[in-house]
Amino acid sequence: MLYTVSDFQRLYADSLRLVAGQGGLARTIDEVGILDYELMSGLRDKYQRKNLAPRQLVLSTFLYAKDDPYLIGEAVRTLVAEGASALVIKNALHLPLPESALRYANARNLPLFVVQSDGFFFDQVIVEVTGRIRDLGSASFAANQIDLALREDASPREVRECALAINPSFEERVACLYLRLDEEPDPQELSRIEAAFLRSSLAGVGSALVCYHRGILAIVTTDPEERIDLAGCMEVLRSEVLAGAGASAGGRPQPLGVTAGGSL
């Protein structure tokens, strides 16, 4: 499973304010990095930009821009070119954010956050986000959370916590669709199924696909006011996801203890 900018925003909602790039919240985060000396005048051509990488959540105080806030705009353009996922600014010096930088971030869908809490510490965020990325990359993590949620003595609060551990961007209205596969998928087949899911109309920041007990569990969520078309979702799961990945499924959809169309 993938960790997205939307997941990061939800987890740190009390500490962050999104100021640009809302269209990029579905971007995947593979790692966390700090923008420090890379673009500093006099050093940018002396050192390699080792800390910048594609699909990276970038943290910066922009201390090096204290005498020239327009260097922030240069950083935004550089991060877009490098394929970064998002930029988080801890604006300790209260530097003005150039309008040109915000417009560019909006045009290129690079989420740009400003820290608005004294309790947002870079070292702690790096550890927490790296841990979440590692957990979601584990094949057993989501299945274990589902097992915990399906315990007979699990409280509604525990079920909700397990669900949000799988995907913090889940919305309140939920549908769970399960299809048993004819055979246990190997890692390559599972990768093909996950890729087909990401290309399908079911994909979104509020959805997830989990390999569970020799089957595929698709979790689709929406805003409480919206309706989920269960039959349509199941058809997409069969035709776009499993067929698109060359996988075969047997049996009928099975409930997993969560009412389809219910709420978290």
Side-chain angles (χ1 to χ4, degrees), residues 227-263:
R227 175 180 172 273
I228 298 178
D229 179 5
L230 295 177
C233 288
M234 181 56 66
E235 177 57 30
V236 170
L237 184 61
R238 287 184 180 278
S239 62
E240 295 185 26
V241 179
L242 296 181
S248 58
R252 297 174 57 82
Q254 300 177 26
L256 288 178
V258 180
T259 303
S263 299

Side-chain angles (χ1 to χ4, degrees), residues 170-213:
F170 279 156
E171 297 288 352
E172 293 299 315
R173 186 172 295 278
V174 181
C176 295
L177 309 171
Y178 181 75
L179 281 177
R180 184 170 294 279
L181 301 178
D182 291 337
E183 297 180 356
E184 186 79 28
D186 59 33
Q188 288 186 336
E189 182 181 20
L190 183 57
S191 294
R192 291 196 299 270
I193 293 173
E194 290 174 339
F197 178 78
L198 292 175
R199 293 192 301 267
S200 77
S201 55
L202 294 181
V205 295
S207 61
L209 186 77
V210 179
C211 182
Y212 185 69
H213 289 190

Side-chain angles (χ1 to χ4, degrees), residues 22-253:
Q22 184 171 0
L25 294 179
R27 291 187 176 199
T28 300
I29 298 173
D30 287 353
E31 62 179 55
V32 188
I34 294 180
L35 177 63
D36 187 7
Y37 62 82
E38 287 83 359
L39 303 179
M40 188 174 177
S41 178
L43 295 180
R44 56 179 301 158
D45 298 323
K46 186 175 182 180
Y47 296 99
Q48 294 181 350
R49 298 179 184 177
K50 296 180 180 178
N51 293 337
L52 303 181
R55 295 179 298 281
Q56 187 178 66
L57 173 69
V58 178
L59 313 176
S60 183
T61 60
F62 281 110
L63 293 179
Y64 73 85
K66 64 182 187 304
D67 297 322
D68 186 3
Y70 282 92
L71 290 176
I72 297 174
E74 183 181 4
V76 169
R77 291 190 293 273
T78 299
L79 293 177
V80 167
E82 293 284 348
S85 296
L87 171 62
V88 179
I89 301 174
K90 192 169 186 178
N91 198 355
L93 299 181
H94 304 288
L95 300 175
L97 301 183
E99 284 296 326
S100 58
L102 300 180
R103 289 196 299 270
Y104 193 79
N106 276 324
R108 297 304 181 95
N109 292 322
L110 176 72
L112 198 162
F113 298 94
V114 173
V115 177
Q116 53 184 8
S117 169
D118 293 336
F120 188 93
F121 301 108
F122 281 4
D123 53 350
Q124 181 178 347
V125 170
I126 291 172
V127 171
E128 292 174 349
V129 172
T130 301
R132 286 291 296 152
I133 294 171
R134 182 185 62 248
D135 287 344
L136 293 178
S138 168
S140 61
F141 175 78
N144 290 340
Q145 293 298 317
I146 294 170
D147 286 338
L148 291 173
L150 293 179
R151 289 184 295 113
E152 291 185 1
D153 60 345
S155 67
R157 179 183 61 81
E158 290 172 324
V159 171
R160 181 183 180 88
E161 289 176 351
C162 290
L164 294 180
I166 295 173
N167 185 349
S169 295
F170 279 156
E171 297 288 352
E172 293 299 315
R173 186 172 295 278
V174 181
C176 295
L177 309 171
Y178 181 75
L179 281 177
R180 184 170 294 279
L181 301 178
D182 291 337
E183 297 180 356
E184 186 79 28
D186 59 33
Q188 288 186 336
E189 182 181 20
L190 183 57
S191 294
R192 291 196 299 270
I193 293 173
E194 290 174 339
F197 178 78
L198 292 175
R199 293 192 301 267
S200 77
S201 55
L202 294 181
V205 295
S207 61
L209 186 77
V210 179
C211 182
Y212 185 69
H213 289 190
R214 219 190 80 179
I216 294 298
L217 173 66
I219 306 172
V220 181
T221 69
T222 66
D223 184 86
E225 281 71 37
E226 296 184 25
R227 175 180 172 273
I228 298 178
D229 179 5
L230 295 177
C233 288
M234 181 56 66
E235 177 57 30
V236 170
L237 184 61
R238 287 184 180 278
S239 62
E240 295 185 26
V241 179
L242 296 181
S248 58
R252 297 174 57 82

